[in-house]
Amino acid sequence: MSTSDRLIESTRELLWERGYVGTSPKAILERAGAGQGSMYHHFKGKPELALAAIRRTAEEMRATAGAVLDGPGTPYERIRAYLTREREVLRGCPIGRLTMDPEVIASDELREPVDETIDWIRERLAHLVEEGQEQGQFAPGLDGEEIAATVVATVQGGYVLARASGSPAAFDAGVRGLLALLSPQSCSQS
Amino acid sequence: MSTSDRLIESTRELLWERGYVGTSPKAILERAGAGQGSMYHHFKGKPELALAAIRRTAEEMRATAGAVLDGPGTPYERIRAYLTREREVLRGCPIGRLTMDPEVIASDELREPVDETIDWIRERLAHLVEEGQEQGQFAPGLDGEEIAATVVATVQGGYVLARASGSPAAFDAGVRGLLALLSPQSCSQS
DNA sequence: GTCTATATTGCGATAGAC
DNA sequence: GTCTATCGCAATATAGAC
């Protein structure tokens, strides 16, 4: 792995653990085993390095989520697969947590990959809900975009509950509650 | 307002805007219009001041949420009132955002009021769901604790969606989706 | 109680040697 | 390309005058 790659990987880890304001160049360099000069040779500074790191994480997340959303099964099953896929719940969402960072939100450039990723997943889910409606799996009165927002929000909020309580249990409870509400068996189809 | 109060209020604002790692004593002092000496006279340091600020915010949030949850209406209406109460969505949740702060999560003392507050609201909601079930308003197969976790998670995640997109619309969409799924009219009661 | 002065450490970046 | 040295400034805290 090149020095540039090691810098990006270290930054990704630290952004996940500590966010943008909580991550210092020094910490990045120590973790990457590089000196100051390396970093400022490859990147103009902390914002540019963070942007590269965020973009890579966003790409990876799209691939991970996409694999489940495009996987086998009915629309409901694929939404369930998205909700229940393995996660390191107590570490939080490496993309979603960035929305709580004031400097990420203040920078359109840093916020963009975050927004794009979440929006991309939401659109996929909305499409799945509409597909499910065509198959009579979900109530026809539901709004696909709204249900998709609910699904993504439950995941993102699940991280909050889990980290508040120090246990992944609350995340799982929220997901089970949502799946119960979404369950094709629970509603009369008209 | 006393100097000590002004320090706490300034800290509350900054914790909301920037989180714990993003908030410096200097910024607090400037906002409070006080000098270093004042702060270190009233508090041992940043952690103790932050604890006082978080506790006050937690108390306020319990009062705000409690007023809606104990308000008038059926269980469904009160849950809807909680979900749709006025919020400064783009500012995020002053309590929930602290769960993304590494130093808050690392400190049991700082995390405690956060955990307590979220848990308190969740318990209230769970109770409301069970009440609604007794009245035949919600399907009897649902788990009150799980639905309550879903409700709180949707709110917390709604903030994430809104801040990612830079607009409160996504928060509202997620809430509307959840309300549609919860709606007594949408499900057959057995 | 509140102030200013000061100390120490780390942040974020630049310079220039190798 | 990578290193160390250095810079100017902010973070967090202490000391001691008033």
Side-chain angles (χ1 to χ4, degrees), chain B residues 63-94:
Chain B
T64 306
V68 191
L69 293 170
D70 292 339
T74 65
Y76 174 79
E77 284 166 348
R78 285 150 76 183
I79 292 172
R80 185 179 56 198
Y82 170 72
L83 283 165
T84 59
R85 80 170 173 84
E86 208 179 314
R87 286 180 169 88
E88 298 175 88
V89 171
L90 288 181
R91 296 180 72 183
C93 174

Side-chain angles (χ1 to χ4, degrees), chain A residues 6-88:
Chain A
R6 288 204 322 280
L7 286 167
I8 292 177
E9 289 304 311
S10 301
T11 305
R12 289 179 61 199
E13 291 171 20
L14 283 162
L15 286 178
W16 193 359
E17 290 168 24
R18 305 190 42 85
Y20 183 86
V21 299
T23 295
S24 69
K26 192 189 180 195
I28 294 168
L29 297 172
E30 272 167 11
R31 195 170 291 214
Q36 297 262 75
S38 286
M39 171 176 152
Y40 286 99
H41 173 75
H42 292 287
F43 304 94
K44 274 206 283 281
K46 177 180 164 178
E48 195 178 289
L49 176 49
L51 181 58
I54 292 173
R55 282 190 175 144
R56 191 175 284 185
T57 298
E59 216 172 314
E60 197 184 84
M61 172 140 297
R62 255 198 263 219
T64 306
V68 192
L69 294 170
D70 293 340
T74 65
Y76 174 80
E77 284 165 349
R78 284 150 77 184
I79 292 171
R80 184 180 56 197
Y82 170 72
L83 282 166
T84 58
R85 79 171 174 82
E86 206 178 318
R87 287 180 168 87
E88 298 175 87

Side-chain angles (χ1 to χ4, degrees), chain B residues 55-74:
Chain B
R55 283 189 175 147
R56 191 175 286 186
T57 298
E59 216 173 314
E60 196 184 85
M61 170 140 300
R62 253 199 264 216
T64 306
V68 191
L69 293 170
D70 292 339
T74 65

Side-chain angles (χ1 to χ4, degrees), chain A residues 39 44 56 71 116 124 137 139 142 151 166-167 183:
Chain A
M39 171 176 152
K44 274 206 283 281
R56 191 175 284 185
E116 295 260 297
R124 287 279 168 136
Q137 207 171 13
L142 298 176
V151 170
S167 151
S183 169

Side-chain angles (χ1 to χ4, degrees), chain A:
Chain A
M1 195 158 60
S2 72
T3 300
S4 166
D5 272 332
R6 288 204 322 280
L7 286 167
I8 292 177
E9 289 304 311
S10 301
T11 305
R12 289 179 61 199
E13 291 171 20
L14 283 162
L15 286 178
W16 193 359
E17 290 168 24
R18 305 190 42 85
Y20 183 86
V21 299
T23 295
S24 69
K26 192 189 180 195
I28 294 168
L29 297 172
E30 272 167 11
R31 195 170 291 214
Q36 297 262 75
S38 286
M39 171 176 152
Y40 286 99
H41 173 75
H42 292 287
F43 304 94
K44 274 206 283 281
K46 177 180 164 178
E48 195 178 289
L49 176 49
L51 181 58
I54 292 173
R55 282 190 175 144
R56 191 175 284 185
T57 298
E59 216 172 314
E60 197 184 84
M61 172 140 297
R62 255 198 263 219
T64 306
V68 192
L69 294 170
D70 293 340
T74 65
Y76 174 80
E77 284 165 349
R78 284 150 77 184
I79 292 171
R80 184 180 56 197
Y82 170 72
L83 282 166
T84 58
R85 79 171 174 82
E86 206 178 318
R87 287 180 168 87
E88 298 175 87
V89 171
L90 287 182
R91 295 180 73 184
C93 173
I95 290 295
R97 71 113 55 236
L98 297 171
T99 61
M100 291 305 139
D101 206 299
E103 308 206 0
V104 171
I105 291 307
S107 155
D108 282 343
E109 224 182 353
L110 291 179
R111 187 172 56 83
E112 195 215 34
V114 175
D115 186 19
E116 295 260 297
T117 303
I118 293 178
D119 208 56
W120 183 88
I121 294 175
R122 195 159 31 131
E123 282 304 320
R124 287 279 168 136
L125 284 166
H127 197 254
L128 273 179
V129 171
E130 286 157 18
E131 242 182 271
Q133 285 178 309
E134 286 162 18
Q135 300 175 18
Q137 207 171 13
F138 299 125
L142 298 176
D143 179 310
E145 298 272 346
E146 288 178 3
I147 301 300
T150 306
V151 170
V152 178
T154 300
V155 168
Q156 291 298 323
Y159 287 115
V160 172
L161 300 197
R163 284 172 65 89
S165 64
S167 151
F171 182 101
D172 298 334
V175 163
R176 277 199 305 276
L178 180 60
L179 283 171
L181 294 174
L182 281 170
S183 169
Q185 283 76 30
S186 80
C187 283
S188 66
Q189 305 301 316
S190 56

